[in-house]
């Protein structure tokens, strides 16, 4: 490393040649060449190789026949190769299982050579021979004259990603099965009251294909309330951000409507769940119960009236059949008392009877 006349440091390659025995020279010839740019490139290459060696992805380079030129440490581990093993004795096909080898030969490499790149999923082999689902990006690298100089391939292990994707798929299927298994009609709405999801019970009630339900306003499909009306529970939820309920009569049947807000962790409204339950039979039972209560009250009133009538009848009977004869007897006793001497036994009996 030296400094030039401007005081800037530079990398210099020095070559000294002994020409002392050469009659025409008889000295040592020293050649100085500035290799700063080459050193800079070499440093970048070293950094790039360090990155390739540190990545968990398998990175390989091969010729047009698939013979390996370079592979990083994960690739060497997969091939069970040591640091000093000769890569030229191995091909990229050794990194994949048998079916993928056929694809590699018949599909992947020809496409890379023809189109310049290829992206897709393959099944690679791990150190213990275990198959590994991998996402691969392969690319052709060209020389200055346009010919393909070598091919590179980056393979990423997506086994865990596939497992998560499969688990999410199963969970989604279970959710959909549960969603469709609910006998109540359910709509999932956005904050504009447009339908995002609809279960089978609601679709059957509406009698429309799913594609004609999704994206429409809930009021267009069901209650018929306009933007300015207060009866729509979804409109109320937008205002209150809490559960709202109502009863709705559609085509002669009664439905209980319950709409729940869907909220994010910061409590902002993200949507709504609209649930419609057929309460027609319940309404009929309630109406029948109310009718029975009316009949019971009517019977009770009629019973009271009958008791009053009976009491009045008894009173009338007592007056007509007993009170009048008693009055006559009383008058006769008074007449007898008047005709009897004051101190006679008969008078005393009459006075006692009158006192009763």
């Amino acid at each position: 490393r030296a400094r030039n006349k401007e005081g800037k440091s530079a990398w210099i390659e020095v070559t000294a040649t002994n020409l002392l025995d050469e009659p025409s020279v008889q000295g040592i010839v020293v050649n100085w060449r500035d290799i700063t740019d080459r050193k800079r490139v070499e440093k970048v290459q070293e950094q790039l190789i360090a990155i390739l060696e540190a990545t968990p992805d398998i990175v390989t380079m091969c010729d047009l026949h698939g013979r390996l030129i370079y592979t990083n440490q994960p690739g060497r581990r997969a091939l069970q190769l040591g640091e000093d093993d000769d890569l030229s004795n191995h091909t990229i096909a050794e990194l994949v299982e048998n079916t993928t080898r056929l694809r590699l030969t018949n599909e992947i490499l020809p496409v890379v050579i023809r189109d310049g790149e290829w992206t897709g999923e393959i099944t690679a082999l791990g150190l213990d021979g275990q198959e590994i689902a991998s996402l691969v990006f392969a690319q052709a690298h060209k020389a200055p004259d346009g010919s393909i100089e070598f091919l590179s391939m980056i393979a990423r292990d997506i086994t865990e990603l596939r497992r998560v994707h499969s688990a999410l798929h199963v969970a989604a299927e279970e959710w959909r099965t549960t969603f469709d298994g609910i006998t109540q009609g359910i709509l999932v709405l956005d904050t504009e009251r447009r339908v995002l999801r609809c279960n089978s019970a609601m679709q059957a009630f509406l009698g429309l294909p799913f594609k004609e339900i999704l994206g429409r306003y809930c009021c267009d499909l069901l209650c018929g309330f306009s933007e300015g009306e207060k009866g729509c529970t979804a409109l109320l939820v937008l205002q209150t951000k809490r559960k709202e309920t109502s009863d709705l009569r559609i085509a002669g049947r009664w439905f209980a409507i319950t709409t729940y807000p869907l909220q994010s962790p910061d409590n902002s409204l993200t949507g709504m769940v609209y649930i419609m339950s057929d309460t027609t039979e319940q309404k009929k039972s309630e109406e029948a119960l109310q009718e029975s209560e009316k009949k019971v009250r009517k019977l009770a009133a009629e019973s009271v009236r009958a008791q009053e009538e009976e009491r009045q009848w008894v009173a009338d009977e007592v007056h007509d059949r007993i009170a009048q004869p008693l009055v006559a007897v009383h008058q006769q006793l008074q007449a007898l008392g008047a005709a009897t001497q004051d101190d006679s036994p008969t008078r005393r009996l009459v006075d006692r009877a009158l006192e009763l």
Side-chain angles (χ1 to χ4, degrees):
R1 193 173 178 86
R3 290 183 180 277
N4 58 21
K5 62 182 181 180
E6 297 174 352
K8 295 180 179 180
S9 61
W11 285 99
I12 304 298
E13 182 181 68
V14 181
T15 305
T17 306
N18 186 352
L19 298 177
L20 292 173
D21 296 332
E22 181 66 36
S24 61
V25 179
Q26 294 182 347
I28 297 175
V29 178
V30 179
N31 292 320
W32 294 67
R33 184 170 59 177
D34 188 341
I35 59 169
T36 302
D37 291 338
R38 191 182 77 186
K39 280 290 186 179
R40 189 178 295 115
V41 171
E42 289 175 351
K43 185 176 181 180
V44 172
Q45 289 177 336
E46 290 174 359
Q47 292 172 339
L48 178 59
I49 290 174
I51 293 172
L52 295 178
E53 293 297 326
T55 180
D57 299 337
I58 295 177
V59 181
T60 59
M61 292 188 294
C62 64
D63 62 20
L64 300 185
H65 301 289
R67 287 189 296 269
L68 290 178
I69 300 171
Y70 164 83
T71 184
N72 64 348
Q73 287 299 320
R76 285 183 174 272
R77 287 194 295 270
L79 290 170
Q80 301 184 43
L81 297 176
E83 291 292 335
D84 299 327
D85 288 337
D86 187 1
L87 289 177
S88 63
N89 295 325
H90 300 274
T91 67
I92 198 169
E94 296 176 45
L95 291 168
V96 298
E97 52 84 38
N98 292 333
T99 304
T100 305
R101 288 175 187 173
L102 294 176
R103 289 185 62 205
L104 194 66
T105 303
N106 300 328
E107 174 191 344
I108 299 173
L109 291 180
V111 170
V112 174
I113 293 171
R114 183 190 70 216
D115 299 337
E117 63 180 39
W118 180 89
T119 302
E121 293 185 17
I122 65 170
T123 302
L125 292 176
L127 180 61
D128 55 358
Q130 182 180 0
E131 295 184 355
I132 302 173
S134 301
L135 178 64
V136 171
F137 173 72
Q139 187 175 24
H141 299 266
K142 296 183 178 180
D145 62 1
S147 62
I148 296 177
E149 190 174 4
F150 66 92
L151 308 177
S152 69
M153 188 175 293
I154 301 174
R156 171 163 295 181
D157 185 348
I158 58 171
T159 304
E160 182 64 16
L161 183 62
R162 274 193 177 179
R163 187 194 66 78
V164 172
H165 182 271
S166 177
L168 288 175
H169 178 74
V170 171
E173 285 297 318
E174 291 176 349
W175 182 89
R176 186 73 212 185
T177 300
T178 303
F179 190 55
D180 285 334
I182 298 173
T183 56
Q184 298 165 304
I186 302 177
L187 297 175
V188 179
L189 310 174
D190 62 17
T191 54
E192 295 182 352
R193 299 180 297 114
R194 294 182 183 273
V195 179
L196 298 176
R197 293 185 180 87
C198 169
N199 74 339
S200 294
M202 182 66 84
Q203 185 267 334
F205 173 79
L206 295 174
L208 297 171
F210 281 108
K211 64 181 181 180
E212 294 184 19
I213 298 174
L214 302 182
R216 293 181 63 180
Y217 290 106
C218 60
C219 291
D220 292 343
L221 295 168
L222 293 166
C223 64
F225 291 109
S226 65
E227 191 73 28
E229 294 183 276
K230 299 180 180 180
C232 177
T233 54
L235 281 172
L236 292 175
V237 168
L238 288 175
Q239 299 168 8
T240 65
K241 294 185 179 180
R242 63 172 181 261
K243 181 183 78 172
E244 297 291 345
T245 61
S246 70
D247 290 322
L248 193 63
R249 188 175 179 87
I250 303 175
R253 299 189 68 82
W254 280 101
F255 297 90
I257 307 300
T258 305
T259 303
Y260 296 90
L262 296 176
Q263 294 176 298
S264 61
D266 63 358
N267 292 325
S268 61
L269 192 67
T270 60
M272 293 165 282
V273 177
Y274 182 104
I275 302 176
M276 185 175 75
S277 305
D278 191 334
T279 57
T280 304
E281 297 304 319
Q282 180 181 342
K283 282 283 187 181
K284 288 181 179 179
S285 298
E286 290 175 354
E287 291 173 356
L289 180 60
Q290 291 173 358
E291 187 64 28
S292 297
E293 290 176 350
K294 289 181 181 178
K295 290 181 179 179
V296 169
R297 287 195 294 270
K298 183 178 179 181
L299 288 174
E302 291 176 352
S303 176
V304 170
R305 185 171 62 254
Q307 290 176 357
E308 181 62 27
E309 291 176 352
E310 183 178 4
R311 187 191 64 76
Q312 186 63 43
W313 177 82
V314 170
D316 293 343
E317 286 294 313
V318 169
H319 180 271
D320 294 343
R321 297 188 181 186
I322 299 176
Q324 291 180 2
L326 286 176
V327 170
V329 170
H330 187 273
Q331 291 174 349
Q332 291 176 1
L333 286 173
Q334 286 180 332
L336 180 61
T340 307
Q341 295 180 356
D342 293 339
D343 57 349
S344 66
T346 302
R347 179 63 180 269
R348 287 194 294 272
L349 289 174
V350 170
D351 290 342
R352 187 177 299 173
L354 289 172
E355 291 175 354
L356 297 174

